[in-house]
Amino acid sequence: MTLRRFLHKHPGRLAAWAFLGIAIVATVFPFYWMIRTALTPAGDLYTDSTGLWPDHPTLINFSRVLGFLDVAEAQAAGGSGARIDFIRYLMNSVIYSTLVAAVQTFCCAMAGYALARLRFRGRDLMFTVIVGALMVPPIFTLLPNFALVKNLGLLNTMAGLAAPTLLMTPFAVFFLRQFFLSIPAAVEEAAVIDGAGRWMIFWRVVLPMTRGPLITIAMTTAVWSWKDFLWPLLVGPKEQTRTLTAALGIFLQQSPNTRPDWTGLMAASTLSIVPVLLLLVFFGRRLIDSLNFTGIK
Amino acid sequence: MDSRPRPPAQRGAARAAWLFLLPVLVGFGLFYLYPAARGLWWSFTDYSLLAEPEFTGTQNYAELVGDAQFWNALKVTALYVVLNIGSQTLLALVLAALMHRLTRSVMVRAMLLVPWLVPNVTVGLLWLWLLDADLGFVNHLISSLGGESTAYFASPTWALPTVALVNTWAYTGYTALLLYAGMLQTPGYLYESAAIDGAGETRTFFTVTLPLLRPVLALVLVTSMIGSFQIFDTVAVTTEGGPVNVTKVIYFYIYQKAFHQFEMGYAAAAGVALVAILGALVYVQLRLLKASSSDLG
């Protein structure tokens, strides 16, 4: 059947595909426009802001937000003169997300395992209390946590930045416990009879069996930390710990209100989506399949 | 099982459990329990972060009840949640149904997921640029169609709907994928019998897909509503609560009280109110959820 005849016979399908197509374009086009703007010379913005491709494409906006140009050169290319060094913020964000994702996943796996598999007094109460914390909006604990980190002298340190989420989030504990519950007990019993200790069972038997969920939760945690804005802005605004999101917020504020540095801002914004896109390219299927159980159950 | 002599590993289970739980318990105690207790205590004090908290009884709460700004923040948040969750859920439902009946393509799903992976700060910046009154692409589009260019984020009428729709843009794909995952659980034979009975696509959606999706839909609604209530980043980047407080949502209100006016005690009291409101909301929704278990049983 030709396409034409197919569409003639199924006008509903055509409308459905059209709707889906529009949704995809509406989703993706803004990102295209972000990159298009980032490739436009700042001076051209007023004369060249409608075409689908810039008249004089350039990478200078990237080199100036990455801190490759000195202040005078950056200013000549449209910068406000404030120091920006996105390569550093990018690194800070990568370190923050990776550190939190790795340590948190490991600690929560241990706890999830104990809560699912080991018998001890107070286990169910402990689990209930931890899950109950899911109901507390983060801003409520954020105020005292800020005071704590400040009093410990950890403002503008990676330790202070990572501290509240480094060891656990209630969600990760909950999520991993559910998975450990589904491992057949027979596997562990066989290992117990072999005389393996609890730690060996966890390390050699249980962890390898739950690789999928572990990667899923680690990725989700990394994405959350990557997107995190308010906490890094409050706790680590200084250069040495400024994350990419905090830097974007600060960059916007430093940019003149009347004439924001759009080309620079869009170049910096583009940087903030690159790692996420890489994640999607390399782990896309796993990430998408993971939605089948993170959101539901 | 219990009558059998316990293997050595079982006897040590309790001790092993506490070791497994140690990191998570430290993290939970330090950054969840302690700050929650501290926040609650602060809510009964006058505290500016600089001097010690000074006990003032229920004065903060009394003030809160009479604080027009607080009620305004709640009203703004409620309006935002209705606009955001309403449009987002509806669009996501349509998208999920279309994907369910049209394509299993991972590529399509990956593209729809991109905005969710991107930091809210980036989303805010991107739309600030797209909706820029002079140079923004959307305004170009509107003027070329004969409409009038508008500064959406600066307009008292448009600012709140705009923020709500920006977040709808950011989260619709994610929500659609969750609903889509729910739809995949519907057994295929139901569609076959619906087709045999001569039911069209629309009819099938309302008689098969939607009723069976109800529990998943309810759960997705609960979680997205909790998230929506806590909108902060987008407001912080695009409108900072303005113009004239029309976008000053509760999170932003608490943030300003705490970190601009340094009224930690008062901010904590508003936080307690937020905890109570969210708790009540979740309770009601979970009750409704129980009442609406799937027809499939």
Side-chain angles (χ1 to χ4, degrees), chain A residues 118-136:
Chain A
L118 304 179
R119 257 173 260 157
F120 57 96
R121 277 179 51 172
R123 180 180 75 172
D124 295 340
L125 176 70
M126 188 188 291
F127 180 65
T128 310
V129 172
I130 290 176
V131 171
L134 278 172
M135 293 290 134
V136 178

Side-chain angles (χ1 to χ4, degrees), chain B:
Chain B
M1 173 88 194
D2 279 337
S3 59
R4 276 197 334 220
R6 289 175 155 197
Q10 189 82 43
R11 250 182 283 132
R15 206 180 44 196
W18 288 104
L19 285 175
F20 273 95
L21 281 160
L22 190 64
V24 156
L25 289 181
V26 169
F28 190 66
L30 270 180
F31 297 104
Y32 285 85
L33 282 184
Y34 173 57
R38 217 169 158 202
L40 194 62
W41 156 241
W42 285 1
S43 76
F44 296 104
T45 66
D46 183 12
Y47 182 38
S48 66
L49 268 187
L50 298 170
E52 286 293 300
E54 200 179 303
F55 184 71
T56 55
T58 54
Q59 200 193 319
N60 287 327
Y61 291 98
E63 270 179 52
L64 209 54
V65 172
D67 182 350
Q69 290 268 339
F70 173 69
W71 291 108
N72 177 64
L74 286 181
K75 202 186 78 192
V76 167
T77 310
L79 196 56
Y80 165 84
V81 169
V82 169
L83 287 172
N84 171 238
I85 295 299
S87 57
Q88 175 177 308
T89 311
L90 207 65
L91 272 173
L93 202 53
V94 174
L95 273 179
L98 291 181
M99 279 194 288
H100 183 49
R101 304 302 286 159
L102 287 178
T103 171
R104 295 276 181 277
S105 160
V106 173
M107 192 66 195
V108 167
R109 284 185 274 161
M111 284 193 285
L112 290 176
L113 195 61
V114 174
W116 176 74
L117 291 166
V118 169
N120 295 325
V121 178
T122 310
V123 169
L125 270 173
L126 178 54
W127 283 96
L128 205 55
W129 165 230
L130 288 169
L131 295 173
D132 184 83
D134 299 325
L135 301 170
F137 181 81
V138 174
N139 272 317
H140 278 318
L141 205 65
I142 290 172
S143 355
S144 71
L145 294 173
E148 206 168 301
S149 174
T150 312
Y152 289 96
F153 285 116
S155 145
T157 326
W158 286 109
L160 188 68
T162 305
V163 173
L165 290 180
V166 164
N167 277 349
T168 296
W169 175 81
Y171 287 92
T172 294
Y174 173 68
T175 313
L177 292 197
L178 293 182
L179 295 177
Y180 171 78
M183 288 176 187
L184 288 181
Q185 292 168 358
T186 310
Y189 66 81
L190 289 176
Y191 288 100
E192 284 155 30
S193 29
I196 290 167
D197 289 347
E201 287 288 348
T202 320
R203 179 107 192 269
T204 312
F205 175 77
F206 283 107
T207 53
V208 177
T209 310
L210 200 55
L212 290 176
L213 190 68
R214 223 159 48 199
V216 172
L217 186 61
L219 202 57
V220 168
L221 263 176
V222 174
T223 40
S224 54
M225 206 178 252
I226 295 175
S228 185
F229 233 89
Q230 305 183 21
I231 162 142
F232 175 82
D233 302 358
T234 319
V235 167
V237 172
T238 57
T239 63
E240 295 184 76
V244 282
N245 296 336
V246 295
T247 60
K248 197 184 267 181
V249 289
I250 186 73
Y251 239 65
F252 199 75
Y253 169 84
I254 296 177
Y255 160 77
Q256 280 194 325
K257 280 282 174 230
F259 296 105
H260 288 180
Q261 293 154 27
F262 300 105
E263 294 180 33
M264 283 288 171
Y266 195 72
V272 172
L274 182 64
V275 173
I277 293 168
L278 280 177
L281 211 71
V282 169
Y283 177 76
V284 169
Q285 287 192 322
L286 287 179
R287 284 296 293 273
L288 292 175
L289 182 71
K290 258 196 188 140
S292 70
S293 51
S294 163
D295 293 353
L296 208 59

Side-chain angles (χ1 to χ4, degrees), chain A residues 122-242:
Chain A
R123 180 180 75 172
D124 295 340
L125 176 70
M126 188 188 291
F127 180 65
T128 310
V129 172
I130 290 176
V131 171
L134 278 172
M135 293 290 134
V136 178
I139 192 136
F140 187 61
T141 43
L142 182 139
L143 309 180
N145 277 341
F146 173 78
L148 179 65
V149 167
K150 184 170 177 278
N151 291 341
L152 291 173
L154 292 176
L155 288 185
N156 296 302
T157 64
M158 195 48 82
L161 197 61
T165 46
L166 187 66
L167 297 175
M168 65 103 52
T169 55
F171 177 74
V173 174
F174 168 76
F175 178 86
L176 289 169
R177 171 189 175 266
Q178 300 308 93
F179 267 96
F180 291 128
L181 280 179
S182 67
I183 294 182
V187 178
E188 281 169 85
E189 272 159 23
V192 171
I193 290 162
D194 284 351
R198 278 289 160 190
W199 178 252
M200 286 306 275
I201 295 172
F202 175 69
W203 189 244
R204 287 278 171 79
V205 181
V206 176
L207 276 191
M209 283 179 72
T210 33
R211 249 187 59 201
L214 286 175
I215 294 174
T216 300
I217 198 76
M219 276 190 323
T220 314
T221 307
V223 171
W224 279 348
S225 310
W226 185 264
K227 293 168 70 168
D228 207 1
F229 174 58
L230 182 56
W231 178 256
L233 187 68
L234 288 171
V235 170
K238 288 228 178 99
E239 287 271 319
Q240 68 267 24
T241 46
R242 191 184 294 173

